[in-house]
Amino acid sequence: MKLIGSLSSPFVRKVRIVMAEKRIDYQLVLENVWAADTAIDDCNPLGKVPCVVMDDGDALFDSRVICEYLDTLTPVGKLIPQPSRERAAVRCCEALADGMLDAAVLIRLETTLRDEAQRNAAWVERQQRKIDTGLRAMAEGLADKPWCHANAFTLADIGLGCALSYLDFRMPQLDWRGAYPNLAKYLDKLSQRPSFAETVLQ
Ligand SMILES: N[C@@H](CCC(=O)N[C@@H](CS)C(=O)NCC(=O)O)C(=O)O
């Protein structure tokens, strides 16, 4: 199995962490989707990473689809619970984390790809609000629990960990650690897992 992606994408990192937690072998193929000659459209018509290309050539894209598929491949380190209500709760945490990432990535694109004159401050503020309210929801949801869902490490923790560390990576000016010490402690603990330590964004 090949994973097409970049070392700076938080969505690709999510998939890499799932691969590591589940001890699945794969080949990482680096692709710059912003380069004029990118071949990403050959496997993902949406032109985004991560994209997984399986041994028979079939491709899967969108980190949520990929992570769900990977979790079915082996019972090792089950990341999504089976019972429907629990499953939905874990997927909802993942959706919250992904939504914050979407907002953070949009802010980054707006402030790096566009000339200053073309930037839309109201759009950036709208995305920033999603990050701010998302952080509050994460902090309230986690409270003083060790893990996001039901005292077990799940895909929800991988999602939240990837979102928080992306904020550190691209928005170091945002003092989310000061505002939410429980999230800071949680990310520090997650960062010690080999799957997180081996996939630090760069
Ligand atoms: N919902 C997608 C988001 C993936 C995504 O936005 N990837 C970014 C890199 S962080 C990308 O490839 N962007 C290229 C583009 O938007 O054209 C997922 O979870 O996989």
Side-chain angles (χ1 to χ4, degrees), residues 62-135:
D62 197 287
S63 64
R64 284 185 238 181
V65 174
I66 298 169
C67 292
E68 178 166 32
Y69 171 70
L70 295 176
D71 200 40
T72 65
L73 290 185
T74 154
V76 172
K78 209 68 189 137
L79 294 171
I80 308 177
Q82 203 52 49
S84 95
R85 184 71 187 265
E86 284 188 51
R87 193 176 185 82
V90 166
R91 304 308 305 273
C92 193
C93 282
E94 183 191 15
L96 172 64
D98 282 8
M100 288 173 61
L101 281 176
D102 284 334
V105 168
L106 284 173
I107 290 178
R108 175 157 171 86
L109 297 181
E110 186 76 12
T111 51
T112 56
L113 288 190
R114 285 189 199 273
D115 295 335
E116 205 145 359
Q118 289 181 310
R119 289 181 201 157
N120 183 330
W123 173 250
V124 171
E125 258 172 53
R126 185 177 174 87
Q127 302 310 319
Q128 186 61 54
R129 249 195 328 274
K130 296 179 199 296
I131 297 173
D132 296 343
T133 52
L135 279 168

Side-chain angles (χ1 to χ4, degrees), residues 24-201:
I24 295 171
D25 284 333
Y26 69 101
Q27 180 194 349
L28 180 64
V29 179
L30 296 179
E31 178 72 34
N32 176 2
V33 292
W34 302 106
D37 62 350
T38 178
I40 189 66
D41 296 4
D42 294 348
C43 58
N44 181 354
L46 300 176
K48 295 185 179 194
V49 288
C51 180
V52 155
V53 180
M54 292 180 286
D55 294 344
D56 62 4
D58 275 355
L60 285 181
F61 46 86
D62 197 287
S63 64
R64 284 185 238 181
V65 174
I66 298 169
C67 292
E68 178 166 32
Y69 171 70
L70 295 176
D71 200 40
T72 65
L73 290 185
T74 154
V76 172
K78 209 68 189 137
L79 294 171
I80 308 177
Q82 203 52 49
S84 95
R85 184 71 187 265
E86 284 188 51
R87 193 176 185 82
V90 166
R91 304 308 305 273
C92 193
C93 282
E94 183 191 15
L96 172 64
D98 282 8
M100 288 173 61
L101 281 176
D102 284 334
V105 168
L106 284 173
I107 290 178
R108 175 157 171 86
L109 297 181
E110 186 76 12
T111 51
T112 56
L113 288 190
R114 285 189 199 273
D115 295 335
E116 205 145 359
Q118 289 181 310
R119 289 181 201 157
N120 183 330
W123 173 250
V124 171
E125 258 172 53
R126 185 177 174 87
Q127 302 310 319
Q128 186 61 54
R129 249 195 328 274
K130 296 179 199 296
I131 297 173
D132 296 343
T133 52
L135 279 168
R136 194 170 63 227
M138 275 182 185
E140 286 172 5
L142 181 67
D144 57 359
K145 294 183 294 177
W147 304 114
C148 187
H149 179 77
N151 282 332
F153 176 80
T154 65
L155 183 59
D157 300 298
I158 297 178
L160 295 195
C162 285
L164 292 171
S165 46
Y166 186 74
L167 296 180
D168 280 346
F169 181 57
R170 292 298 194 203
M171 299 182 159
Q173 75 287 358
L174 199 71
D175 183 26
W176 66 267
R177 286 173 178 273
Y180 302 111
N182 67 330
L183 291 182
K185 196 170 143 209
Y186 168 76
L187 182 61
D188 289 345
K189 183 181 65 179
L190 277 176
S191 303
Q192 286 170 15
R193 291 178 84 85
S195 59
F196 275 75
E198 287 157 11
T199 57
V200 172
L201 294 173

